Amino acid sequence: MTASAAATIARENPARTSEIVGVVVETAPEAVDAIVREADADQRKWAARPLADRLAALARAAAAIEDATPGLATLLARESGKVVGDCRGELGFAVRYLRWVVEHAPSAYADRVLDDDLGRVVEQRKPYGVVAAVTPWNAPVILAMLKIAPALAAGNAIVVKPSPLAPLTISRVVDLFDAPVRVVHGGAETGAALVGHELVRKVAFTGGAAGGRAVAALASERLTPSVLELGGNDPAVFLDDAPFTDDAMDRLVMASFATSGQVCMAAKRLYVPSSRLSGFVGAYRAAADRVLVTGDPLADGVTMGPVISAAAQRAALALRGSGTVHDLGRFDGDPASGYFVRPALVVEPDPGSRLVVAEQFAPVVPVLGYSGEESVLAAANAGELGLGASVWSADEERAFAFARRFEAGFTFVNTHNRTGMSLRAPFGGVKRSGWGREYAQEGLAEYVQTCVIHAPAAFRPGAAVTGGGPSAYPAG
């Protein structure tokens, strides 16, 4: 297929579906091979550069992204449907993380030497080679940066395959790097050609369970290690002493409805003591009236845009059929112009309904009453997912004691979602929510292999050599 005849991906604006925001050329599966081989050749030269040089290149990229943020944020809002302020925040957080990696990589990737009377051990932190990153549409820049920044700092090359639903902004971000990072575009076949390539030595994936299973299965065929950050059905448990203050309720509402609820770590199931349920619902609805305005993501004052696609819109509307449904906030604009869904709180739905037992990924959230801590803990831990959770209480020690019993990789206290994240706190799931970690030192460690050089004391120059027969074992 010639370049002029290459297939393309046209991205529509989910807030104004008649508008095409941009077009990218699709990478045919057979073209992935040459791209990975080029990355492999570049990686060897990149890894040979001093760490300080690599980090200087990343610092320049951070400055370039920061300078380009106004235009990039508008583009991201148009292709994803996220409000423009949220897009500026995502880009700013990506820059912060990139600079955090620049600051912390020297200690994370330094050799560790132990030299004592037992011998000399040198632990080296070596790159894998070529990393394949498959990333989703809901936070395309930061979720790619969590892979790009540590991979490059460690001396790897990286090839990113973004979602076809948000390919534009991340492509421009990658162009701002003077480093071996490339982008391929396409669907499942392109992703499979990348993940399954013989020269890919590490796979990093963020997305849903179906995609995670496919990536894990393909990587396992070549014994390629992977880090998977998958979905969640995060419970938010209010203990009986939790105050329903305006500030707390405002945080909780946005923890559920930021990016129209299309966030893996959103608060997706709310549990409140039955005796306090009525008061909670009133406080929650009042908070939604204060902070939720659905409309065009580029319009001033809008805090929630459309969902990503027509299929997502249909799925969201289908979740509203159980329990008492309260529409939330107000709409500003033309709801027929795009894939808009009025956010909703569903009170006391069937506990076995899809709204409760599965990840919604939509602006519809259930609230259920409970009668005791053991019962709510069992409900919160039910199911196969274990990404995030939160506990709300006026007593921090009580909250931490309860949080220890969650089956979740990350538990927030008195907040949820983005307001509870920290660059120093590793993030990832348990159970079917994936493996491996991002952020913090653990996130940096995902992109290096520990290689050891060891000289036992008995065999060092000048030592009296003893033992060494087939039955010999180390002394310590």
Side-chain angles (χ1 to χ4, degrees):
M1 182 179 292
T2 65
S4 59
T8 58
I9 299 170
R11 181 60 197 144
E12 66 180 357
N13 183 337
R16 292 188 295 274
T17 55
S18 61
E19 173 188 314
I20 298 299
V21 180
V23 176
V24 295
V25 176
E26 186 170 359
T27 309
E30 59 270 20
V32 171
D33 176 66
I35 293 169
V36 174
R37 292 185 183 281
E38 290 171 1
D40 180 65
D42 288 348
Q43 184 273 328
R44 298 170 191 277
K45 292 177 280 188
W46 176 252
R49 293 174 61 177
L51 175 61
D53 287 358
R54 299 199 300 266
L55 298 182
L58 299 192
R60 291 192 297 272
I65 297 167
E66 188 172 52
D67 290 343
T69 287
L72 291 172
T74 298
L75 177 62
L76 182 54
R78 292 175 63 217
E79 71 169 325
S80 70
K82 291 168 49 161
V83 296
V84 69
D86 188 357
C87 295
R88 285 193 293 268
E90 178 180 338
L91 286 154
F93 193 55
V95 169
R96 279 181 57 203
Y97 180 69
L98 185 49
R99 288 174 172 156
W100 186 92
V101 169
V102 170
E103 179 183 355
H104 290 86
S107 60
Y109 298 148
D111 288 355
R112 300 175 192 177
V113 180
L114 180 63
D115 196 340
D116 57 20
D117 57 2
L118 294 178
R120 184 181 179 189
V121 177
V122 176
E123 295 181 12
Q124 297 175 285
R125 305 293 184 259
K126 291 190 174 183
Y128 281 90
V130 178
V131 175
V134 181
T135 56
W137 49 264
N138 58 334
V141 177
I142 183 57
L143 293 177
M145 194 62 68
L146 290 172
K147 302 156 183 59
I148 292 170
L152 292 176
N156 300 283
I158 184 166
V159 182
V160 181
K161 194 205 84 65
S163 167
L165 295 175
L168 305 174
T169 310
I170 187 57
S171 294
R172 293 195 185 179
V173 167
V174 164
D175 285 344
L176 298 174
F177 281 82
D178 180 19
V181 52
R182 291 168 169 79
V183 174
V184 296
H185 292 293
E189 290 186 359
T190 301
L194 176 61
V195 171
H197 197 282
E198 63 181 348
L199 292 180
V200 165
R201 304 302 187 199
K202 178 88 181 204
V203 175
F205 174 83
T206 300
R213 284 192 294 270
V215 166
L218 190 57
S220 70
E221 291 181 8
R222 291 194 179 275
L223 299 179
T224 306
S226 61
V227 54
L228 305 180
E229 196 264 275
L230 307 180
N233 190 17
D234 292 17
V237 175
F238 280 72
L239 301 184
D240 57 18
D241 65 343
F244 303 154
T245 63
D246 289 355
D247 183 60
M249 290 296 101
D250 290 354
R251 283 200 308 280
L252 180 63
V253 167
M254 291 312 300
S256 291
F257 296 112
T259 315
S260 303
Q262 301 166 120
V263 179
C264 60
M265 59 184 177
K268 297 188 176 77
R269 295 177 286 154
L270 314 180
Y271 292 97
V272 180
S274 296
S275 61
R276 304 186 69 199
L277 185 57
S278 177
F280 176 89
V281 170
Y284 191 94
R285 294 179 67 188
D289 287 341
R290 289 191 298 270
V291 302
L292 276 184
V293 180
T294 304
D296 189 318
L298 296 175
D300 291 340
V302 168
T303 58
M304 197 188 95
V307 294
I308 192 66
S309 65
Q313 184 186 49
R314 290 191 297 271
L317 294 174
L319 293 171
R320 297 163 57 100
S322 172
T324 301
V325 179
H326 296 284
D327 288 328
L328 302 173
R330 63 184 176 87
F331 193 91
D332 184 7
D334 177 11
S337 66
Y339 303 127
F340 291 100
V341 177
R342 184 78 178 270
L345 177 70
V346 182
V347 181
E348 295 282 38
D350 178 352
S353 65
R354 188 184 184 285
L355 177 63
V356 177
V357 302
E359 181 180 31
Q360 309 105 19
F361 228 65
V364 185
V365 64
V367 57
L368 301 100
Y370 72 86
S371 58
E373 288 189 10
E374 294 304 316
S375 66
V376 73
L377 186 67
N381 287 338
E384 294 190 325
L385 300 180
L387 186 60
S390 65
V391 58
W392 304 65
S393 172
D395 183 337
E396 186 174 281
E397 292 304 317
R398 184 184 178 197
F400 269 76
F402 189 90
R404 288 179 180 276
R405 303 175 69 194
F406 275 130
E407 295 173 0
F410 198 107
T411 297
F412 306 91
V413 173
N414 290 329
T415 194
H416 203 120
N417 206 334
R418 297 169 191 162
T419 54
M421 297 298 293
S422 170
L423 295 177
R424 68 179 186 173
F427 182 84
V430 299
K431 299 195 289 188
R432 306 290 188 202
S433 287
W435 53 74
R437 292 295 180 264
E438 296 185 313
Y439 296 101
Q441 294 294 324
E442 288 84 348
L444 297 178
E446 292 287 356
Y447 294 92
V448 287
Q449 304 171 92
T450 299
C451 299
V452 173
I453 306 170
H454 180 215
F459 313 119
R460 300 181 76 179
V465 178
T466 60
S471 62
Y473 285 90

